[in-house]
Short mmCIF file of all heavy atoms in Angstrom, two decimals:
data_model
loop_
_atom_site.label_atom_id
_atom_site.label_comp_id
_atom_site.label_asym_id
_atom_site.label_seq_id
_atom_site.Cartn_x
_atom_site.Cartn_y
_atom_site.Cartn_z
N MET A 232 96.01 83.09 79.14
CA MET A 232 96.27 84.50 79.42
C MET A 232 96.98 84.63 80.76
O MET A 232 96.63 83.99 81.73
CB MET A 232 94.94 85.27 79.46
CG MET A 232 95.09 86.75 79.79
SD MET A 232 93.49 87.56 80.01
CE MET A 232 93.03 87.87 78.33
N ARG A 233 98.04 85.49 80.75
CA ARG A 233 98.77 85.76 81.99
C ARG A 233 98.71 87.25 82.28
O ARG A 233 98.65 88.06 81.36
CB ARG A 233 100.24 85.32 81.88
CG ARG A 233 100.40 83.81 81.77
CD ARG A 233 101.87 83.43 81.70
NE ARG A 233 102.59 83.77 82.92
CZ ARG A 233 102.61 83.03 84.02
NH1 ARG A 233 101.94 81.90 84.06
NH2 ARG A 233 103.29 83.41 85.07
N VAL A 234 98.74 87.59 83.55
CA VAL A 234 98.76 89.00 83.94
C VAL A 234 100.03 89.27 84.74
O VAL A 234 100.49 88.43 85.52
CB VAL A 234 97.48 89.37 84.75
CG1 VAL A 234 97.37 88.59 86.04
CG2 VAL A 234 97.45 90.87 85.02
N SER A 235 100.61 90.42 84.51
CA SER A 235 101.81 90.81 85.25
C SER A 235 101.72 92.29 85.60
O SER A 235 100.96 93.05 84.99
CB SER A 235 103.07 90.54 84.42
OG SER A 235 103.03 91.28 83.21
N VAL A 236 102.48 92.68 86.61
CA VAL A 236 102.47 94.08 87.06
C VAL A 236 103.88 94.64 86.97
O VAL A 236 104.85 93.98 87.35
CB VAL A 236 101.89 94.21 88.49
CG1 VAL A 236 102.68 93.41 89.50
CG2 VAL A 236 101.81 95.67 88.90
N ASP A 237 103.97 95.85 86.45
CA ASP A 237 105.24 96.58 86.40
C ASP A 237 105.37 97.33 87.73
O ASP A 237 104.70 98.33 87.96
CB ASP A 237 105.22 97.55 85.22
CG ASP A 237 106.53 98.31 85.08
OD1 ASP A 237 107.28 98.42 86.07
OD2 ASP A 237 106.79 98.81 83.98
N ARG A 238 106.22 96.81 88.60
CA ARG A 238 106.32 97.38 89.96
C ARG A 238 106.88 98.80 89.95
O ARG A 238 106.64 99.56 90.88
CB ARG A 238 107.21 96.50 90.83
CG ARG A 238 106.71 95.09 90.91
CD ARG A 238 106.25 94.73 92.32
NE ARG A 238 105.49 93.49 92.27
CZ ARG A 238 104.27 93.35 92.69
NH1 ARG A 238 103.63 94.36 93.23
NH2 ARG A 238 103.64 92.21 92.60
N ASP A 239 107.61 99.16 88.92
CA ASP A 239 108.13 100.52 88.84
C ASP A 239 107.03 101.53 88.55
O ASP A 239 107.14 102.71 88.91
CB ASP A 239 109.22 100.62 87.76
CG ASP A 239 110.47 99.87 88.16
OD1 ASP A 239 110.69 99.69 89.37
OD2 ASP A 239 111.22 99.47 87.26
N ARG A 240 105.97 101.07 87.88
CA ARG A 240 104.86 101.96 87.53
C ARG A 240 103.76 101.97 88.57
O ARG A 240 103.12 102.99 88.80
CB ARG A 240 104.26 101.55 86.18
CG ARG A 240 105.19 101.69 85.02
CD ARG A 240 104.50 101.27 83.73
NE ARG A 240 103.64 102.33 83.23
CZ ARG A 240 104.02 103.18 82.29
NH1 ARG A 240 105.20 103.09 81.75
NH2 ARG A 240 103.20 104.12 81.90
N CYS A 241 103.51 100.81 89.18
CA CYS A 241 102.36 100.66 90.09
C CYS A 241 102.48 101.61 91.27
O CYS A 241 103.51 101.68 91.94
CB CYS A 241 102.28 99.22 90.58
SG CYS A 241 100.93 98.95 91.73
N GLU A 242 101.38 102.33 91.51
CA GLU A 242 101.33 103.30 92.61
C GLU A 242 100.43 102.82 93.74
O GLU A 242 100.18 103.55 94.69
CB GLU A 242 100.81 104.65 92.10
CG GLU A 242 101.65 105.26 91.00
CD GLU A 242 102.95 105.87 91.51
OE1 GLU A 242 103.11 105.98 92.73
OE2 GLU A 242 103.79 106.22 90.67
N GLY A 243 99.88 101.61 93.61
CA GLY A 243 99.07 101.05 94.68
C GLY A 243 97.71 101.68 94.86
O GLY A 243 97.16 101.70 95.95
N TYR A 244 97.13 102.17 93.77
CA TYR A 244 95.79 102.76 93.86
C TYR A 244 94.73 101.72 94.18
O TYR A 244 93.71 102.05 94.78
CB TYR A 244 95.42 103.46 92.55
CG TYR A 244 96.29 104.63 92.20
CD1 TYR A 244 97.07 104.62 91.05
CD2 TYR A 244 96.34 105.76 93.00
CE1 TYR A 244 97.87 105.69 90.71
CE2 TYR A 244 97.14 106.83 92.68
CZ TYR A 244 97.91 106.79 91.53
OH TYR A 244 98.71 107.83 91.20
N GLY A 245 94.93 100.51 93.71
CA GLY A 245 94.00 99.44 94.03
C GLY A 245 92.77 99.37 93.17
O GLY A 245 91.88 98.55 93.41
N LEU A 246 92.69 100.21 92.15
CA LEU A 246 91.51 100.18 91.28
C LEU A 246 91.40 98.84 90.56
O LEU A 246 90.30 98.33 90.36
CB LEU A 246 91.58 101.32 90.26
CG LEU A 246 91.63 102.73 90.85
CD1 LEU A 246 91.81 103.76 89.75
CD2 LEU A 246 90.39 103.02 91.67
N CYS A 247 92.52 98.29 90.19
CA CYS A 247 92.52 97.00 89.50
C CYS A 247 91.92 95.91 90.39
O CYS A 247 91.16 95.07 89.92
CB CYS A 247 93.94 96.61 89.10
SG CYS A 247 95.10 96.59 90.50
N ALA A 248 92.27 95.96 91.67
CA ALA A 248 91.78 94.93 92.60
C ALA A 248 90.27 95.02 92.79
O ALA A 248 89.62 94.03 93.11
CB ALA A 248 92.50 95.07 93.94
N GLU A 249 89.71 96.21 92.57
CA GLU A 249 88.25 96.33 92.64
C GLU A 249 87.60 95.65 91.45
O GLU A 249 86.49 95.13 91.55
CB GLU A 249 87.85 97.81 92.70
CG GLU A 249 88.26 98.49 93.99
CD GLU A 249 87.88 99.96 94.02
OE1 GLU A 249 87.06 100.38 93.19
OE2 GLU A 249 88.42 100.68 94.87
N GLU A 250 88.29 95.65 90.31
CA GLU A 250 87.74 95.02 89.10
C GLU A 250 87.93 93.51 89.10
O GLU A 250 87.13 92.80 88.50
CB GLU A 250 88.40 95.62 87.85
CG GLU A 250 88.12 97.10 87.65
CD GLU A 250 86.68 97.39 87.27
OE1 GLU A 250 85.97 96.47 86.83
OE2 GLU A 250 86.26 98.55 87.43
N ALA A 251 89.02 93.06 89.70
CA ALA A 251 89.34 91.62 89.64
C ALA A 251 89.82 91.16 91.01
O ALA A 251 90.95 90.70 91.18
CB ALA A 251 90.40 91.37 88.57
N SER A 252 88.93 91.26 92.00
CA SER A 252 89.32 90.98 93.38
C SER A 252 89.67 89.52 93.61
O SER A 252 90.33 89.18 94.59
CB SER A 252 88.20 91.41 94.34
OG SER A 252 87.03 90.69 94.05
N HIS A 253 89.24 88.64 92.72
CA HIS A 253 89.56 87.22 92.88
C HIS A 253 90.94 86.89 92.28
O HIS A 253 91.40 85.76 92.40
CB HIS A 253 88.49 86.36 92.23
CG HIS A 253 88.20 86.71 90.81
ND1 HIS A 253 87.86 87.97 90.39
CD2 HIS A 253 88.23 85.93 89.70
CE1 HIS A 253 87.67 87.96 89.08
NE2 HIS A 253 87.90 86.74 88.65
N LEU A 254 91.57 87.89 91.65
CA LEU A 254 92.89 87.65 91.03
C LEU A 254 94.00 88.45 91.65
O LEU A 254 95.18 88.11 91.48
CB LEU A 254 92.83 88.00 89.53
CG LEU A 254 91.88 87.18 88.68
CD1 LEU A 254 91.83 87.78 87.29
CD2 LEU A 254 92.33 85.73 88.63
N MET A 255 93.67 89.53 92.34
CA MET A 255 94.70 90.42 92.88
C MET A 255 94.15 91.20 94.07
O MET A 255 92.95 91.40 94.19
CB MET A 255 95.19 91.38 91.77
CG MET A 255 94.09 92.18 91.12
SD MET A 255 94.64 93.02 89.60
CE MET A 255 94.73 91.66 88.44
N HIS A 256 95.07 91.61 94.95
CA HIS A 256 94.68 92.41 96.10
C HIS A 256 95.86 93.24 96.55
O HIS A 256 97.01 92.98 96.16
CB HIS A 256 94.18 91.52 97.24
CG HIS A 256 95.26 90.71 97.88
ND1 HIS A 256 95.69 89.50 97.37
CD2 HIS A 256 96.03 90.94 98.98
CE1 HIS A 256 96.65 89.01 98.14
NE2 HIS A 256 96.89 89.87 99.12
N LEU A 257 95.58 94.25 97.34
CA LEU A 257 96.66 95.04 97.95
C LEU A 257 97.00 94.42 99.29
O LEU A 257 96.11 94.05 100.06
CB LEU A 257 96.22 96.49 98.15
CG LEU A 257 95.98 97.32 96.89
CD1 LEU A 257 95.62 98.75 97.29
CD2 LEU A 257 97.18 97.33 95.97
N ASP A 258 98.31 94.34 99.59
CA ASP A 258 98.68 93.83 100.91
C ASP A 258 98.67 94.97 101.92
O ASP A 258 98.28 96.11 101.60
CB ASP A 258 100.03 93.09 100.86
CG ASP A 258 101.20 94.02 100.58
OD1 ASP A 258 101.04 95.26 100.65
OD2 ASP A 258 102.29 93.49 100.30
N ASP A 259 99.06 94.68 103.14
CA ASP A 259 98.98 95.67 104.21
C ASP A 259 99.88 96.88 103.96
O ASP A 259 99.67 97.95 104.54
CB ASP A 259 99.34 95.03 105.55
CG ASP A 259 98.29 94.04 106.00
OD1 ASP A 259 97.15 94.10 105.49
OD2 ASP A 259 98.60 93.19 106.86
N ASP A 260 100.87 96.72 103.09
CA ASP A 260 101.77 97.83 102.76
C ASP A 260 101.34 98.57 101.50
O ASP A 260 102.05 99.46 101.03
CB ASP A 260 103.20 97.30 102.56
CG ASP A 260 103.77 96.71 103.84
OD1 ASP A 260 103.48 97.27 104.92
OD2 ASP A 260 104.48 95.70 103.76
N GLY A 261 100.18 98.19 100.95
CA GLY A 261 99.70 98.85 99.74
C GLY A 261 100.37 98.36 98.47
O GLY A 261 100.28 99.00 97.43
N GLU A 262 101.02 97.19 98.56
CA GLU A 262 101.65 96.60 97.38
C GLU A 262 100.65 95.66 96.72
O GLU A 262 99.98 94.87 97.40
CB GLU A 262 102.89 95.80 97.78
CG GLU A 262 104.03 96.63 98.31
CD GLU A 262 104.83 97.28 97.18
OE1 GLU A 262 105.02 96.63 96.14
OE2 GLU A 262 105.24 98.43 97.37
N LEU A 263 100.60 95.74 95.41
CA LEU A 263 99.69 94.85 94.69
C LEU A 263 100.25 93.43 94.68
O LEU A 263 101.41 93.21 94.33
CB LEU A 263 99.49 95.33 93.25
CG LEU A 263 98.50 94.49 92.44
CD1 LEU A 263 97.09 94.65 93.00
CD2 LEU A 263 98.54 94.87 90.98
N VAL A 264 99.41 92.47 95.03
CA VAL A 264 99.76 91.05 95.01
C VAL A 264 98.89 90.38 93.96
O VAL A 264 97.66 90.51 93.99
CB VAL A 264 99.50 90.40 96.39
CG1 VAL A 264 99.81 88.90 96.33
CG2 VAL A 264 100.32 91.08 97.46
N LEU A 265 99.52 89.71 93.02
CA LEU A 265 98.79 88.92 92.03
C LEU A 265 98.58 87.54 92.61
O LEU A 265 99.54 86.80 92.82
CB LEU A 265 99.57 88.86 90.71
CG LEU A 265 99.83 90.20 90.03
CD1 LEU A 265 100.66 89.99 88.78
CD2 LEU A 265 98.53 90.91 89.69
N ASP A 266 97.33 87.21 92.87
CA ASP A 266 97.04 85.91 93.49
C ASP A 266 97.16 84.78 92.47
O ASP A 266 97.48 83.66 92.83
CB ASP A 266 95.64 85.93 94.10
CG ASP A 266 95.53 86.99 95.17
OD1 ASP A 266 96.32 86.97 96.11
OD2 ASP A 266 94.64 87.86 95.03
N ARG A 267 96.88 85.11 91.21
CA ARG A 267 96.99 84.11 90.15
C ARG A 267 97.55 84.79 88.91
O ARG A 267 96.86 85.60 88.30
CB ARG A 267 95.62 83.52 89.81
CG ARG A 267 94.92 82.87 90.99
CD ARG A 267 93.63 82.25 90.56
NE ARG A 267 93.84 81.18 89.58
CZ ARG A 267 92.87 80.39 89.13
NH1 ARG A 267 91.65 80.54 89.56
NH2 ARG A 267 93.13 79.45 88.25
N ALA A 268 98.78 84.47 88.56
CA ALA A 268 99.36 85.06 87.35
C ALA A 268 98.69 84.49 86.11
O ALA A 268 98.51 85.18 85.10
CB ALA A 268 100.86 84.81 87.31
N GLU A 269 98.29 83.21 86.20
CA GLU A 269 97.60 82.57 85.08
C GLU A 269 96.10 82.84 85.24
O GLU A 269 95.50 82.46 86.24
CB GLU A 269 97.88 81.07 85.08
CG GLU A 269 97.43 80.35 83.83
CD GLU A 269 98.25 80.73 82.61
OE1 GLU A 269 99.48 80.90 82.74
OE2 GLU A 269 97.65 80.87 81.54
N VAL A 270 95.54 83.52 84.26
CA VAL A 270 94.13 83.94 84.36
C VAL A 270 93.25 82.88 83.74
O VAL A 270 93.41 82.53 82.56
CB VAL A 270 93.93 85.28 83.63
CG1 VAL A 270 92.47 85.71 83.70
CG2 VAL A 270 94.85 86.35 84.21
N PRO A 271 92.29 82.34 84.50
CA PRO A 271 91.38 81.37 83.91
C PRO A 271 90.48 82.05 82.86
O PRO A 271 90.20 83.24 82.98
CB PRO A 271 90.56 80.86 85.11
CG PRO A 271 90.76 81.87 86.18
CD PRO A 271 92.03 82.58 85.92
N PRO A 272 90.08 81.32 81.85
CA PRO A 272 89.31 81.92 80.75
C PRO A 272 88.08 82.69 81.22
O PRO A 272 87.76 83.75 80.67
CB PRO A 272 88.90 80.71 79.90
CG PRO A 272 89.89 79.65 80.23
CD PRO A 272 90.31 79.89 81.65
N GLU A 273 87.43 82.20 82.25
CA GLU A 273 86.21 82.86 82.71
C GLU A 273 86.49 84.21 83.39
O GLU A 273 85.57 84.98 83.65
CB GLU A 273 85.40 81.95 83.65
CG GLU A 273 86.10 81.59 84.95
CD GLU A 273 86.97 80.34 84.82
OE1 GLU A 273 87.36 79.97 83.70
OE2 GLU A 273 87.26 79.74 85.87
N SER A 274 87.77 84.49 83.66
CA SER A 274 88.13 85.75 84.31
C SER A 274 88.78 86.75 83.35
O SER A 274 89.25 87.80 83.79
CB SER A 274 89.10 85.48 85.48
OG SER A 274 88.48 84.70 86.47
N SER A 275 88.77 86.43 82.08
CA SER A 275 89.47 87.32 81.13
C SER A 275 88.82 88.70 81.07
O SER A 275 89.53 89.71 80.98
CB SER A 275 89.53 86.67 79.74
OG SER A 275 88.24 86.43 79.26
N ASP A 276 87.48 88.77 81.14
CA ASP A 276 86.83 90.09 81.10
C ASP A 276 87.23 90.92 82.31
O ASP A 276 87.50 92.12 82.20
CB ASP A 276 85.31 89.94 81.07
CG ASP A 276 84.81 89.47 79.71
OD1 ASP A 276 85.63 89.41 78.77
OD2 ASP A 276 83.61 89.15 79.60
N ALA A 277 87.28 90.30 83.48
CA ALA A 277 87.62 91.02 84.71
C ALA A 277 89.06 91.53 84.66
O ALA A 277 89.34 92.67 85.04
CB ALA A 277 87.42 90.12 85.93
N VAL A 278 89.96 90.71 84.17
CA VAL A 278 91.36 91.14 84.15
C VAL A 278 91.58 92.22 83.08
O VAL A 278 92.38 93.14 83.27
CB VAL A 278 92.31 89.95 84.00
CG1 VAL A 278 92.48 89.52 82.56
CG2 VAL A 278 93.68 90.29 84.58
N GLU A 279 90.86 92.13 81.99
CA GLU A 279 90.97 93.19 80.98
C GLU A 279 90.41 94.51 81.52
O GLU A 279 90.94 95.58 81.22
CB GLU A 279 90.29 92.76 79.70
CG GLU A 279 91.14 91.74 78.95
CD GLU A 279 90.42 91.10 77.77
OE1 GLU A 279 89.25 91.47 77.52
OE2 GLU A 279 91.03 90.24 77.12
N ALA A 280 89.36 94.44 82.32
CA ALA A 280 88.85 95.65 82.97
C ALA A 280 89.86 96.21 83.94
O ALA A 280 90.04 97.44 84.04
CB ALA A 280 87.53 95.33 83.69
N ALA A 281 90.56 95.35 84.65
CA ALA A 281 91.59 95.79 85.59
C ALA A 281 92.72 96.50 84.85
O ALA A 281 93.23 97.53 85.30
CB ALA A 281 92.13 94.60 86.38
N VAL A 282 93.11 95.96 83.71
CA VAL A 282 94.16 96.59 82.90
C VAL A 282 93.71 97.98 82.45
O VAL A 282 94.47 98.95 82.53
CB VAL A 282 94.50 95.71 81.68
CG1 VAL A 282 95.38 96.45 80.69
CG2 VAL A 282 95.19 94.43 82.14
N ARG A 283 92.47 98.08 82.00
CA ARG A 283 91.96 99.37 81.49
C ARG A 283 91.86 100.42 82.58
O ARG A 283 92.09 101.60 82.34
CB ARG A 283 90.58 99.17 80.85
CG ARG A 283 90.60 98.65 79.44
CD ARG A 283 89.27 98.85 78.76
NE ARG A 283 88.16 98.27 79.51
CZ ARG A 283 87.75 97.02 79.39
NH1 ARG A 283 88.35 96.22 78.53
NH2 ARG A 283 86.75 96.56 80.11
N VAL A 284 91.50 100.01 83.78
CA VAL A 284 91.22 100.98 84.83
C VAL A 284 92.50 101.52 85.49
O VAL A 284 92.48 102.58 86.12
CB VAL A 284 90.27 100.36 85.88
CG1 VAL A 284 91.02 99.45 86.85
CG2 VAL A 284 89.51 101.43 86.63
N CYS A 285 93.61 100.84 85.32
CA CYS A 285 94.85 101.29 85.96
C CYS A 285 95.29 102.63 85.39
O CYS A 285 95.53 102.75 84.19
CB CYS A 285 95.96 100.25 85.77
SG CYS A 285 97.51 100.81 86.50
N PRO A 286 95.41 103.65 86.23
CA PRO A 286 95.72 105.00 85.72
C PRO A 286 97.16 105.16 85.25
O PRO A 286 97.47 106.16 84.58
CB PRO A 286 95.43 105.90 86.93
CG PRO A 286 95.55 105.02 88.12
CD PRO A 286 95.14 103.65 87.67
N VAL A 287 98.02 104.20 85.58
CA VAL A 287 99.42 104.33 85.17
C VAL A 287 99.87 103.18 84.25
O VAL A 287 101.07 103.01 84.01
CB VAL A 287 100.35 104.44 86.40
CG1 VAL A 287 100.09 105.73 87.16
CG2 VAL A 287 100.19 103.23 87.32
N ALA A 288 98.89 102.42 83.75
CA ALA A 288 99.17 101.34 82.81
C ALA A 288 100.24 100.38 83.32
O ALA A 288 101.18 100.03 82.61
CB ALA A 288 99.56 101.91 81.44
N ALA A 289 100.07 99.97 84.57
CA ALA A 289 101.06 99.08 85.19
C ALA A 289 100.78 97.60 84.96
O ALA A 289 101.66 96.79 85.16
CB ALA A 289 101.14 99.35 86.69
N LEU A 290 99.56 97.29 84.56
CA LEU A 290 99.20 95.88 84.34
C LEU A 290 99.29 95.53 82.88
O LEU A 290 98.91 96.33 82.02
CB LEU A 290 97.78 95.62 84.85
CG LEU A 290 97.56 95.59 86.35
CD1 LEU A 290 96.08 95.41 86.64
CD2 LEU A 290 98.37 94.50 87.01
N LYS A 291 99.76 94.31 82.62
CA LYS A 291 99.81 93.84 81.24
C LYS A 291 99.29 92.41 81.19
O LYS A 291 99.51 91.63 82.12
CB LYS A 291 101.25 93.85 80.73
CG LYS A 291 101.83 95.25 80.62
CD LYS A 291 102.75 95.38 79.46
CE LYS A 291 103.22 96.80 79.18
NZ LYS A 291 102.72 97.84 80.03
N VAL A 292 98.62 92.07 80.11
CA VAL A 292 98.24 90.68 79.88
C VAL A 292 98.98 90.19 78.64
O VAL A 292 99.30 90.95 77.73
CB VAL A 292 96.70 90.52 79.70
CG1 VAL A 292 95.99 90.77 80.99
CG2 VAL A 292 96.19 91.41 78.60
N SER A 293 99.26 88.90 78.65
CA SER A 293 99.95 88.31 77.49
C SER A 293 99.41 86.91 77.27
O SER A 293 98.68 86.38 78.11
CB SER A 293 101.46 88.27 77.73
OG SER A 293 101.75 87.57 78.92
S1 SF4 B 405 95.40 100.12 89.47
FE1 SF4 B 405 97.49 100.14 88.61
S2 SF4 B 405 98.65 101.43 89.99
FE2 SF4 B 405 96.80 100.79 91.06
S3 SF4 B 405 97.35 98.95 92.21
FE3 SF4 B 405 96.51 98.33 90.25
S4 SF4 B 405 98.31 98.08 88.94
FE4 SF4 B 405 98.94 99.34 90.68
#
């Protein structure tokens, strides 16, 4: 499983990072940084929660 962010949609709310803080964080400018694009199997629930919580549907898994 891979996670990606649509930078045109992302508004930097950071809700996703609260759900999957070991995979993504906001930098000092409020830009989302994906720490690991490749999601380990044990983190699939967390990343799916991050996708669901994003209010602008900017995260995608494939
Ligand atoms: S919750 Fe959505 S809009 Fe907010 S930082 Fe994450 S991807 Fe961006």
Side-chain angles (χ1 to χ4, degrees):
M232 178 186 279
R233 293 182 64 83
V234 62
S235 60
V236 59
D237 182 338
R238 302 246 166 236
D239 291 336
R240 296 180 80 97
C241 178
E242 301 284 350
Y244 296 117
L246 300 176
C247 56
E249 292 179 15
E250 296 291 341
S252 60
H253 53 305
L254 297 173
M255 55 192 75
H256 69 276
L257 293 183
D258 68 12
D259 291 341
D260 296 323
E262 292 280 322
L263 183 67
V264 177
L265 299 177
D266 300 304
R267 302 183 62 174
E269 191 68 39
V270 179
E273 64 272 21
S274 297
S275 60
D276 286 351
V278 83
E279 285 171 1
V282 169
R283 279 196 305 272
V284 79
C285 178
V287 294
L290 287 176
K291 294 215 172 358
V292 291
S293 56

